[in-house]
Amino acid sequence: MAQQLVQLMPGQQVERWTIEKKLGEGGFGAVYRVYDATGRYALKVEGVNEQIQVLKLEVHVLTELTKRSSRHFCKIEDKGRFGGFNYVVMTLVGKSLENLVKSGPGGHMTLGCSLGVGIQALEALEDLHQIGYLHRDVKPGNYAIGRPELNEIRKVYILDFGMCRKFTNDQVHKKYTRQRTKKDDCESWLYMQIELTGGRLPWHDIADMKQVGRMKQQYRASPFMLFTPTCPTNELAQILRIFDGLKYYDAPPYQQVYGLIRSAMAANRVQEFPYDWEPGMERNSIRYQNILSGPSAHMLM
Ligand SMILES: Nc1ncnc2c1ncn2[C@@H]1O[C@H](COP(=O)(O)OP(=O)(O)OP(=O)(O)O)[C@@H](O)[C@H]1O
């Protein structure tokens, strides 16, 4: 049975970190906005008696990743044990892609913006795959943009490594990862791309993963039914075919996919920047207002 979640109150101190507010709760613990003399960060906590310990894995993966690349990953500032919980302090990010899609005109991002964000989201997976891990929970809620205070509203971060698993080619791990592969992460990325570009996946509200799997199979025969007029149909269909052709051990051809996304931008005469939530994007100024001047922009110091 799950242990009771750690609850921290505003003003409470965890080592040098002061709790400001709770940002959310995951299956394993909670995330808080905290600050110290140097700025604001995100603090994730997990009870030491939680049956499933995911924080260690998250710390390990983020540490490995930031040794090689920092383009799409939170940096770890601190970690440790405090009372009855383990904690990690990392870069505080801004709005999730899920929120940004909802705030967009018509409930989606403009084409250039969604394709640019999509490239960054796949780069994050490429880096993760390169250190031998699968994410296994690729969705708009697990990506976020950086914060305006850090001049990072053009940067996309990948979050939440709780479902991550090491990918190796041996049979034991093959069983352990339930046969999931880099290809599956890429396929989930493609479905996310459809959502960012205005499509609504038929399995969006279905929680039963087996049923979702069956529906995905059904749509395999006619993937065009997933694409709305706002999607770059040809390129996405080509990418889906590329992913379909991958075998268990194959590394996805990331560069080819980036090329196709760039072709989609050219064919549709759209540019990546500015992103929809950037200042000066007149049509979005009201919808995205709180991203640029909302609570996360008010520094405490
Ligand atoms: N580095 C961060 N900066 C700002 N917010 C974050 C950060 N990491 C996580 N969050 C936010 O904290 C909340 C909880 O995140 P967490 O990853 O623990 O769980 P979740 O993804 O909501 O749920 P689950 O664990 O069930 O997938 C989410 O709203 C997430 O966007």
Side-chain angles (χ1 to χ4, degrees):
M1 212 171 68
Q3 306 287 319
Q4 206 172 1
L5 292 180
V6 178
Q7 296 293 347
L8 298 170
M9 302 310 289
Q12 202 173 329
Q13 207 73 23
V14 176
E15 303 294 359
R16 70 176 198 269
W17 309 101
T18 307
I19 305 292
E20 201 185 332
K21 67 174 263 198
K22 188 192 265 187
L23 293 172
E25 265 177 19
F28 69 93
V31 181
Y32 295 86
R33 196 166 74 201
V34 298
Y35 63 92
D36 77 346
T38 64
R40 290 170 130 179
Y41 301 89
L43 175 133
K44 269 194 164 193
V45 293
E46 179 179 82
V48 288
N49 294 325
E50 276 295 327
Q51 277 173 346
I52 303 171
Q53 296 276 319
V54 294
L55 210 56
K56 262 189 198 148
L57 175 67
E58 178 139 12
V59 169
H60 174 73
V61 172
L62 279 176
T63 309
E64 285 302 302
L65 281 167
T66 43
K67 271 186 211 161
R68 291 161 193 247
S69 148
S70 61
R71 49 183 186 168
H72 302 295
F73 308 100
C74 292
K75 184 170 161 262
I76 294 184
E77 298 292 328
D78 189 19
K79 62 184 179 198
R81 181 175 284 202
F82 188 84
F85 59 87
N86 294 314
Y87 70 91
V88 55
V89 179
M90 65 177 83
T91 315
L92 178 70
V93 300
K95 294 275 175 197
S96 73
L97 294 191
E98 188 181 11
N99 282 329
L100 291 167
V101 171
K102 282 185 196 150
S103 318
H108 61 85
M109 294 178 185
T110 57
L111 186 59
C113 174
S114 72
L115 294 173
V117 163
I119 289 177
Q120 293 202 55
L122 186 61
E123 282 173 353
L125 290 177
E126 181 183 1
D127 290 350
L128 185 64
H129 292 168
Q130 237 149 30
I131 64 154
Y133 280 88
L134 306 173
H135 189 277
R136 307 199 319 152
D137 198 15
V138 176
K139 58 183 183 187
N142 280 340
Y143 285 94
I145 56 166
R147 284 152 56 229
E149 305 94 288
L150 300 180
N151 248 333
E152 287 193 333
I153 58 172
R154 285 188 175 184
K155 178 165 172 169
V156 174
Y157 283 88
I158 188 166
L159 302 173
D160 197 355
F161 299 89
M163 295 276 287
C164 244
R165 291 293 179 272
K166 186 114 185 121
F167 175 81
T168 72
N169 289 344
D170 75 51
Q171 295 299 317
V172 177
H173 279 82
K174 204 168 160 180
K175 200 170 168 195
Y176 179 55
T177 57
R178 293 210 186 94
Q179 315 278 355
R180 286 188 67 91
T181 65
K182 296 173 186 172
K183 166 182 163 157
D184 297 298
D185 271 356
C186 290
E187 209 177 281
S188 302
W189 167 84
L190 185 98
Y191 293 134
M192 180 173 90
Q193 193 61 50
I194 293 172
E195 282 189 289
L196 298 183
T197 324
R200 182 157 177 92
L201 300 171
W203 51 84
H204 184 88
D205 295 321
I206 297 177
D208 178 351
M209 293 318 286
K210 282 194 179 146
Q211 194 184 344
V212 171
R214 278 196 298 273
M215 288 176 82
K216 285 181 179 171
Q217 274 313 317
Q218 283 161 9
Y219 276 89
R220 267 294 185 267
S222 46
F224 284 85
M225 287 174 70
L226 295 174
F227 304 145
T228 57
T230 45
C231 291
T233 307
N234 287 340
E235 290 82 2
L236 291 188
Q238 272 189 68
I239 295 172
L240 195 57
R241 273 198 299 275
I242 291 171
F243 292 159
D244 268 344
L246 294 174
K247 300 278 181 301
Y248 184 83
Y249 302 105
D250 290 344
Y254 308 97
Q255 296 306 325
Q256 193 184 352
V257 176
Y258 302 138
L260 281 165
I261 296 285
R262 297 250 175 241
S263 304
M265 284 186 198
N268 289 280
R269 297 183 185 178
V270 293
Q271 294 195 332
E272 176 174 7
F273 298 118
Y275 284 158
D276 296 345
W277 44 88
E278 292 191 34
M281 294 295 284
E282 204 49 48
R283 64 183 182 282
N284 298 322
S285 58
I286 294 170
R287 289 172 187 277
Y288 288 117
Q289 206 171 327
N290 68 341
I291 293 169
L292 299 167
S293 61
S296 70
H298 296 152
M299 293 294 282
L300 285 174
M301 283 118 318

